[in-house]
Amino acid sequence: MRAPVLHTPLKPIAPLPAWARQGPISELRLGALLAHVQPAACGGAPSGVWRQRLAMRAALAHLRLEGRSEDEPTLRDHWYLRREGDDPGPAGNILKAWRSELTIDPERLAQLLALPREGVADLLDRADEAGSTRGTPYDPAIALAFQAQAKGRDWRGFSMWLADRVMARRLGWPGAVSILALNLPRNAFRVSAYEDFYAAALPALIHGTLEAVVLYDDLVRRGEKLALGAQKMRSKDTRATIYKLLSEDAVMAEAGAQTSDRAARRMLTGLADLGLIRELSGRASFRLWGI
Amino acid sequence: MAGSTKSANAAPALLDRELEDLPQALRWREWMRRIEAVLFSASAPMTRETLAQLVGREAIVDLLIEDIAADISDRPYEIRRTGGGWQMVTRKPYADIIAALHARPETKRALTQGESLILAAVAYMQPITRAAISQMTGREISRETMARLHQAGLIARGPRSPDPGAPYTYVTTQAFLEHYGFESLRDLPDLEALMDAGLLVSPDLPGVDLGVAAMPIAPEKG
C-alpha cells in the first residue's frame, strides 16, 4: 500500500458570500473577509506557498515605492539562487523582510530595510503594544502605519509591513499575511490627515484580503490537482517534493533525501509536462518550479 | 573612583553610569565627554547601544551627540551618522590636507578611478556579475580587481546569476556605505535626476566622486 502524497489534506476555505466579494467599502465587509481568511492564515497546506506569494507581491509594491525596478522573476532569482551566506542584495533583502517570521530582531530588520535601527526598534515595540490591545484588528494597524509613514519617504514600505504584522498579532495568526501593500495606492502617502490615510487604507485592506482569498482558492485547486496527478509519480521523494511545492513559492531541482538532483529534475519536469506545476523563470536552465 | 579606560564593549559593571553625586549639568557634561572620548578613539562607527552603556539610563544618546556636535562645530572634525551608528571624522576640506601630509595616499590605498567605477556599477545594479560590470563599463574587469574590492570589504557575494556557469554576483556592503558616508543606498544620487539636470557629463559630482559620470546608464538598445 502506498502512503498518500499529501502529509495533511488541503485546507479549503468556505466560499465567500456575494456581498463580501462585491459591495460597498465598509468595516463590516473587511471584518467578514478577515474572518474568512482565518483558516488559511492559521496554517496547513497550501498556506506556506500562499503566504510567500503574497509576501512577493507586497515586496514588489514596496520596491516600487522605493523607486526600484526589480520584477517578480528577477526577485525570485535573487532569492532562490542564493547559497548559504550570500547576500540577496537590496531588493532581495526587502523580500526577506516580507517573508520573515512574526517576531524579528529589530537590528536584523533595520539592516534588511536599510532603515535606522532605533526608529525600527521603536516602531516594532509599538507594534507589539498595538498587537495586544483590544478592539478591531485593523484600527491599530492602520494607525501605526500612519505613524510610521509620517517619519518620511523611506518609511512607507515599512509602514505597510507593520500594519500586516499588527493585524496578524491581533487576529492570533501564527505568521503575517501581506495584505495592505497589495492595493494601497501611492498617493495614500501624500495625505497629511489621519482620516484621509484611513480612507485609503480601508479599501486597500478589503481588496488585499479579497485578493488573498482568491489566491488561496486558486492554490487549493492547483494543490488538489497536483496531489491527484502526483499519485502516479514513482519517484522516491514524491511526498517531500509535493510538500515543498505546497509550502514554497518556488522549488529548484535539488538532490533530496533519497534522490539525486537529476531525479528531482526529471520529476519536476514530468509534473510540469502534465500541467500540474509551472516553470516560473521562463529559462531552460536554473529552472524554478511552483504550483 | 575614576574607571580605567575600558573598551566600550566590555561589560560596564565597574563604570558609574548614573553619576548620582554630580549636579545635573556636570553629569551631562561628563556623559558628553565619555561619548566624545569613545568616538574619538574608535575606528568604526559606534552604535547607540554601545554608547548607551556609558551613560545614565535616562540619558538620551541622540541629544548628547547633538550637544557634542554643537561644541565642536568650529573644529576641523565632526560627528557623522553612518550606517551603523556615529563616527568622528575629519571635515571634508581637511581630507586633502591629511592626505598631503602622508606622502603616500593612505595606509589603505585610495580607490583608483576604475575601482570607483566598478563600485558605482555594483551599487546601482546589484546584484551584478563581473561580466555584466565589464559590459556596462565597457572594459574588461579582472577577477583580481573584484577580489581586491572584496578583500577591502566594499563588496560581498550575492546570489548566483542564472547565466551559463552560474557566476557569482556582487553586492555592496556596510563598509561601502561607510566609505562614502551614506546611511543607506537611497543616498546614492538619483541617476535620472542627474541626467535631467545635465550633471552626468560633469566629471565631478558633488559628494560622490565615484566616476559615475563616465558610466553608461543603460545599454542604448536591445
Side-chain angles (χ1 to χ4, degrees):
Chain A
M1 213 177 80
R2 213 187 268 196
V5 220
L6 292 180
H7 287 69
T8 53
L10 292 167
K11 199 157 90 180
I13 50 178
L16 274 181
W19 63 268
R21 194 174 284 275
Q22 266 176 332
I25 300 299
S26 70
E27 281 83 356
L28 175 69
R29 193 169 153 214
L30 175 59
L33 285 163
L34 286 175
H36 222 83
V37 90
Q38 180 94 4
C42 286
S47 89
V49 56
W50 176 65
R51 234 183 257 286
Q52 291 186 9
R53 295 259 163 97
L54 290 173
M56 168 67 82
R57 292 182 191 182
L60 289 168
H62 186 151
L63 289 172
R64 277 195 297 277
L65 281 177
E66 297 264 344
R68 303 194 66 94
S69 57
E70 285 84 357
D71 59 2
E72 183 169 333
T74 311
L75 196 51
R76 189 172 281 128
D77 284 349
H78 291 181
W79 185 263
Y80 283 102
L81 299 184
R82 271 178 319 147
R83 296 193 174 181
E84 197 62 35
D86 289 351
D87 181 334
N93 278 329
I94 285 179
L95 178 62
K96 195 169 194 169
W98 282 95
R99 286 176 55 129
S100 66
E101 305 281 320
L102 212 42
T103 46
I104 181 167
D105 173 42
E107 183 107 29
R108 184 88 198 88
L109 182 63
Q111 269 175 11
L112 295 180
L113 298 176
L115 289 170
R117 193 202 164 285
E118 313 77 52
V120 170
D122 172 49
L123 284 162
L124 280 180
D125 284 346
R126 281 197 256 170
D128 280 345
E129 275 168 42
S132 55
T133 51
R134 294 189 162 273
T136 71
Y138 47 86
D139 273 325
I142 299 176
L144 188 62
F146 181 70
Q147 288 170 23
Q149 62 86 35
K151 288 171 75 91
R153 261 190 115 74
D154 300 347
W155 297 81
R156 292 174 172 182
F158 181 45
S159 73
M160 305 188 295
W161 184 97
L162 275 169
D164 291 332
R165 305 278 155 153
V166 172
M167 288 230 293
R169 287 271 170 90
R170 288 285 298 102
L171 291 161
W173 293 347
V177 179
S178 311
I179 292 175
L180 178 60
L182 309 185
N183 289 285
L184 191 64
R186 186 183 280 257
N187 59 18
F189 295 111
R190 302 215 184 92
V191 303
S192 50
Y194 177 60
E195 291 69 37
D196 297 332
F197 185 75
Y198 185 89
L202 183 64
L205 283 176
I206 290 178
H207 295 135
T209 318
L210 194 57
E211 194 176 322
V213 170
V214 170
L215 178 67
Y216 190 81
D217 281 341
D218 184 43
L219 290 172
V220 167
R221 256 198 313 279
R222 288 167 189 272
E224 278 165 353
K225 227 170 82 182
L226 173 64
L228 207 66
Q231 283 174 350
K232 287 176 235 144
M233 302 303 273
R234 263 193 290 270
S235 165
K236 285 187 186 122
D237 276 335
T238 305
R239 259 165 72 91
T241 308
I242 302 299
Y243 177 75
K244 229 169 142 188
L245 282 164
L246 291 175
S247 44
E248 274 285 330
D249 171 34
V251 171
M252 284 191 96
E254 285 164 331
Q258 305 179 54
T259 47
S260 64
D261 56 340
R262 281 161 194 279
R265 186 171 307 124
R266 256 198 310 279
M267 165 161 188
L268 288 165
T269 318
L271 289 173
D273 288 344
L274 291 169
L276 300 172
I277 58 173
R278 292 174 298 154
E279 203 287 309
L280 302 168
S281 74
R283 278 189 302 261
S285 53
F286 302 100
R287 285 175 290 181
L288 294 165
W289 284 276
I291 67 167
Chain B
M1 270 208 287
S4 57
T5 46
K6 289 176 78 73
S7 111
N9 290 324
L14 300 173
L15 189 66
D16 177 10
R17 293 170 56 180
E18 301 298 337
L19 302 169
E20 307 273 3
D21 49 334
L22 292 181
Q24 179 58 29
L26 285 181
R27 283 168 87 194
W28 193 261
R29 197 77 225 161
E30 173 62 18
W31 285 337
M32 278 167 61
R33 288 183 181 192
R34 286 181 179 182
I35 289 183
E36 190 173 344
V38 168
L39 289 178
F40 174 72
S41 63
S43 56
M46 287 282 136
T47 65
R48 169 186 313 251
E49 282 64 46
T50 314
L51 295 176
Q53 292 174 10
L54 306 168
V55 299
R57 257 166 257 283
E58 82 275 27
I60 298 161
V61 175
D62 290 77
L63 294 182
L64 286 164
I65 300 245
E66 247 174 60
D67 286 356
I68 301 168
D71 269 10
I72 60 170
S73 57
D74 60 342
R75 315 302 309 161
Y77 45 84
E78 61 184 346
I79 295 176
R80 190 181 296 160
R81 192 85 241 236
T82 56
W86 291 278
Q87 190 170 23
M88 197 174 267
V89 293
T90 39
R91 289 183 197 274
K92 199 144 191 142
Y94 296 93
D96 300 340
I97 314 267
I98 296 171
L101 182 63
H102 304 284
R104 296 174 289 120
E106 282 129 13
T107 35
K108 266 201 223 161
R109 188 181 51 83
L111 294 166
T112 65
Q113 210 179 355
E115 287 166 337
S116 298
L117 182 59
I118 296 170
L119 281 177
V122 176
Y124 281 100
M125 307 301 292
Q126 61 185 306
I128 185 173
T129 60
R130 189 167 59 89
I133 302 172
S134 301
Q135 201 181 359
M136 256 183 85
T137 54
R139 57 174 107 163
E140 185 59 30
I141 309 294
S142 74
R143 248 172 252 282
E144 288 69 33
T145 313
M146 296 312 284
R148 254 199 322 273
L149 290 171
H150 191 257
Q151 211 154 39
L154 295 168
I155 55 175
R157 201 178 68 181
R160 298 208 155 207
S161 152
D163 296 340
Y168 274 121
T169 59
Y170 295 95
V171 298
T172 55
T173 60
Q174 190 67 32
F176 164 83
L177 295 178
E178 278 159 25
H179 184 90
Y180 287 105
F182 293 151
E183 263 196 60
S184 81
L185 288 170
R186 298 187 194 91
D187 296 343
L188 284 174
D190 184 345
L191 287 186
E192 276 177 43
L194 289 175
M195 278 203 293
D196 285 350
L199 276 173
L200 263 188
V201 279
S202 120
D204 42 299
L205 296 169
V208 238
D209 32 4
L210 288 175
V212 177
M215 192 169 70
I217 301 314
E220 292 295 314
K221 46 186 161 279

